[in-house]
Amino acid sequence: MFVNLLAYADDMVLLAPSWKALQGMLITLQSAAHIINMSFNTKKTVCMIKPKCKRLVISESFPAFVLDDQELTFASSFKYLGHIIDNSLNDD
């Protein structure tokens, strides 16, 4: 089973296998949010990229993700529900 959305109250984590898939999820989320008049704090929204297999990496840089016409920043770690997640996929 593949889980691509973790949500608790007003915190969400989107998981996707590729840049294109995540941007597609952001577009879908934005469309659904517009219907229910929900907004996003894009200043607190970050993106992480963790290649599944280093030998399959074809680029070290990626275009910015966009949500609500705002470019999202990349981070090497983030805090979610009290846990710090980093690029090694460990929590602190």
Side-chain angles (χ1 to χ4, degrees):
M1 178 171 63
F2 181 76
V3 176
N4 62 356
L5 172 66
L6 305 174
Y8 181 80
D10 64 346
D11 287 322
M12 299 173 82
V13 173
L14 301 175
L15 305 168
S18 68
W19 181 94
K20 186 175 180 177
L22 184 54
Q23 185 59 60
M25 290 174 66
L26 290 169
I27 291 167
T28 301
L29 180 63
Q30 182 176 324
S31 297
H34 180 72
I35 293 168
I36 63 171
N37 199 27
M38 184 174 90
S39 62
F40 303 97
N41 185 345
T42 55
K43 290 180 177 28
K44 290 175 58 178
T45 305
V46 298
C47 303
M48 289 180 65
I49 293 182
K50 172 67 176 168
K52 190 172 186 177
C53 178
K54 288 257 187 203
R55 66 180 174 80
L56 299 177
V57 172
I58 58 172
S59 177
E60 293 295 327
S61 63
F62 298 88
F65 292 100
V66 177
L67 179 64
D68 273 350
D69 297 323
Q70 299 291 315
E71 287 189 1
L72 303 178
T73 58
F74 286 89
S76 59
S77 67
F78 72 96
K79 190 173 186 177
Y80 181 69
L81 300 178
H83 294 272
I84 297 173
I85 311 296
D86 63 23
N87 278 338
S88 66
L89 300 182
N90 292 317
D91 65 1
D92 190 338

